[in-house]
């Protein structure tokens, strides 16, 4: 679902990501597609993620010299061509034979960091990513988690993404019906290193003490993924994490969660000056990326659309998706009269402007 019925227009079909999504759907086995598109329960959280962006409107500045717009930015101390990172997603081989190495090649060409899931279908060190982060789900046995942290660092990961929002797995009924188990031929070497079955993979006992121990053990920055409450974002920083990913897991874990975009400003206000704040869930255009940054994110993560690209056309498709998002971001910045990522702020959001400033209710001359 790219746009909900509320906003679908005749133009929707010509959007770059929508064209790629349709090509991917035609090419991928129905069971794999059900896994890719899955959301929890009746899908309300995933729908709300999209609606949050659809209800936004931008408020451009005019005549501000848009001749030198740049999407370059700094994330965790290193320079990046743009603030768009590939979210951790399991089992890329399910969608294209090139798997994670294909995604890595597309991400490299598009100048994007790739986050490799703990459920990667290849060993982290064999994905061939130029710049990558690794996602880890904390394990009951601390030595297993520590082993994964070392494996991530040895693979060259520049950060670790710690998934905090999945102490038990989510209720994905349609996915479960279509793909009850991951097919045997899709390898999951990092998961197998940690646990023999899915039940052992999630850990209901996860607490802040365990999070702090992982941060203490790691030599690279650790980011907490799945944060929705400002108080939890503060706890992440107190536990020694370098930042958070504001996320509801793409609506795949729970019904009736707020959209990450809705809660982002409160989290940015709580920790944004001392830690990295990222957001994911429902970002489907460069305009959406700008809206996320205007709500206080320093950078964004993109999930499903990257796998649409991989499924549609391997590395070329991944590159096409990420390049479209970057190009649209640059164009939207120029049209809004902002030249640098750091200039993007809440002043660009119509919803945040008082009616007088929008000219609503002003007397006609
Ligand atoms: C097929 C698929 C697999 C995923 N696997 C993981 C995972 O292994 N670990 C994790 O933390 N998040 C996982 N996610 C969630 C994404 O990292 C991300 O939070 C979400 O997809 C963002 O929403 P979007 O798809 O609307 O962009 C997965 C998402 C998808 C679509």
């Amino acid at each position: 679902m790219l746009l909900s019925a509320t906003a679908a227009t005749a133009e929707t079909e010509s959007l770059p990501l929508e064209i790629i999504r349709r090509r991917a759907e035609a090419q991928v086995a129905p069971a794999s597609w059900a896994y890719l598109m899955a959301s929890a329960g009746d899908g309300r959280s995933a729908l709300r993620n999209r609606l949050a962006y659809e209800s936004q409107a931008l408020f451009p500045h005019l005549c501000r010299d848009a001749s030198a717009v740049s999407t370059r930015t700094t994330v965790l101390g290193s320079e990046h061509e743009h603030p768009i990172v590939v979210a951790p997603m399991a089992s890329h081989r399910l969608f294209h034979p090139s798997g994670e190495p294909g995604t890595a090649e597309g991400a490299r060409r598009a100048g994007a960091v790739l986050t490799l899931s703990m459920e990667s279908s290849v060993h982290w060190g064999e994905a061939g990513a130029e710049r990558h982060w690794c996602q880890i789900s904390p394990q009951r046995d601390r030595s297993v988690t520590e082993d994964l942290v070392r494996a991530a660092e040895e693979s060259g990961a520049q950060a670790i993404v710690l998934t905090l929002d999945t102490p038990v797995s989510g209720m994905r009924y349609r996915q479960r019906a279509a793909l009850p188990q991951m097919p045997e031929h899709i390898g999951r070497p990092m998961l197998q290193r940690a646990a023999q079955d899915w039940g052992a993979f999630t850990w209901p006992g996860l607490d802040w003490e365990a999070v702090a121990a992982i941060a203490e053990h790691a030599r690279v920055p650790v980011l907490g993924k799945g944060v929705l409450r400002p108080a939890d974002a503060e706890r992440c920083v107190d536990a020694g994490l370098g930042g958070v990913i504001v996320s509801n897991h793409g609506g795949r874990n729970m019904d009736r969660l707020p959209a990450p975009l809705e809660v982002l400003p409160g989290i940015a206000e709580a920790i944004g000056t001392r830690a990295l704040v990222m957001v994911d869930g429902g970002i489907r255009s460069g305009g959406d990326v700008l809206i996320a940054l205007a709500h206080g994110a320093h950078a964004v993560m993109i999930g499903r659309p990257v796998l649409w690209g991989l499924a549609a056309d391997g590395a070329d498709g991944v590159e096409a998706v990420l390049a479209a998002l970057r190009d649209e971001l640059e164009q939207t910045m120029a049209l809004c009269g902002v030249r640098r990522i750091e200039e993007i702020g809440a002043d660009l959001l119509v919803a945040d402007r008082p009616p007088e400033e929008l000219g609503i209710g002003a007397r006609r001359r």
Side-chain angles (χ1 to χ4, degrees):
M1 172 202 56
L2 180 65
L3 288 177
S4 77
T6 52
T9 67
E11 302 296 333
T12 307
E13 290 190 352
S14 62
L15 295 175
L17 268 57
E18 176 59 9
I19 292 167
I20 294 171
R21 186 195 68 78
R22 276 187 276 131
R23 187 139 32 101
E25 185 172 9
Q27 271 164 229
V28 163
S32 304
W33 188 252
Y35 179 65
L36 201 170
M37 297 302 282
S39 37
D42 63 9
R44 292 279 154 186
S45 299
L47 180 65
R48 192 167 173 127
N49 290 357
R50 273 305 303 146
L51 291 174
Y53 285 94
E54 287 178 17
S55 60
Q56 300 293 317
L58 291 167
F59 200 35
H61 299 281
L62 296 179
C63 305
R64 279 196 163 183
D65 183 5
S67 53
V69 170
S70 168
T71 61
R72 294 193 75 81
T73 191
T74 304
V75 178
L76 295 175
S78 37
E79 270 263 322
H80 294 260
E81 286 175 36
H82 51 71
I84 301 165
V85 172
V86 178
M89 287 178 290
S91 309
H92 291 202
R93 271 205 186 134
L94 201 56
F95 312 107
H96 192 270
S98 67
E100 281 78 2
T103 313
E105 172 60 16
R108 185 192 64 73
R109 288 192 219 144
V113 174
L114 165 64
T115 312
L116 291 164
S117 164
M118 187 166 144
E119 278 194 81
S120 169
S121 30
V122 299
H123 188 288
W124 287 332
E126 287 162 13
E130 189 174 69
R131 289 215 264 190
H132 73 278
W133 300 351
C134 290
Q135 175 264 327
I136 292 175
S137 299
Q139 301 291 299
R140 187 190 312 273
D141 181 341
R142 188 196 283 196
S143 68
V144 173
T145 313
E146 290 181 353
D147 171 59
L148 286 163
V149 169
R150 280 292 99 84
E153 290 167 350
E154 279 162 20
S155 77
Q158 293 172 331
I160 286 165
V161 171
L162 206 57
T163 297
L164 303 178
D165 62 5
T166 317
V168 298
S169 45
M171 292 293 179
R172 296 185 215 146
Y173 298 107
R174 195 144 43 112
Q175 171 193 314
R176 208 178 283 172
L179 191 78
Q181 281 181 341
M182 193 55 70
E184 279 293 321
H185 70 279
I186 307 288
R188 290 188 290 178
M190 305 316 297
L191 179 64
Q192 274 147 5
R193 188 176 173 134
Q196 295 310 311
D197 62 57
W198 176 260
F201 175 58
T202 53
W203 175 32
L206 176 63
D207 60 14
W208 289 110
E209 206 183 310
V211 173
I214 296 165
E216 169 98 34
H217 182 74
R219 298 178 189 137
V220 294
V222 181
L223 308 174
K225 178 169 183 278
V227 175
L228 292 172
R229 304 177 74 109
D232 283 340
E234 279 170 348
R235 282 190 142 139
C236 284
V237 177
D238 293 346
L241 303 193
V244 301
I245 296 137
V246 182
S247 172
N248 64 16
H249 215 103
R252 293 167 77 82
N253 272 356
M254 236 180 103
D255 254 349
R256 289 177 172 69
L257 288 172
L261 188 72
E262 292 174 81
V263 297
L264 173 59
I267 291 175
E269 198 179 312
I271 64 160
T273 55
R274 54 202 169 109
L276 179 69
V277 175
M278 297 183 67
V279 69
D280 76 11
I283 297 171
R284 300 292 180 264
S285 70
D288 291 346
V289 176
L290 186 138
I291 285 165
L293 301 183
H295 278 73
H298 301 120
V300 302
M301 276 190 170
I302 308 295
R304 294 174 183 85
V306 174
L307 292 180
W308 301 341
L310 183 71
D313 216 359
D316 290 348
V318 170
E319 181 188 5
V321 164
L322 295 168
L325 291 169
R326 196 216 71 90
D327 292 351
E328 287 172 354
L329 171 62
E330 186 179 73
Q331 195 175 17
T332 312
M333 288 171 70
L335 290 167
C336 281
V338 288
R339 279 160 296 188
R340 292 184 307 116
I341 292 292
E342 305 78 61
E343 288 174 17
I344 297 171
D347 65 307
L348 293 174
L349 301 170
V350 169
D352 276 16
R353 315 293 347 134
E356 317 82 76
E357 213 174 296
L358 293 169
I360 295 169
R363 269 191 304 129
R364 282 188 187 195
R365 291 204 203 159

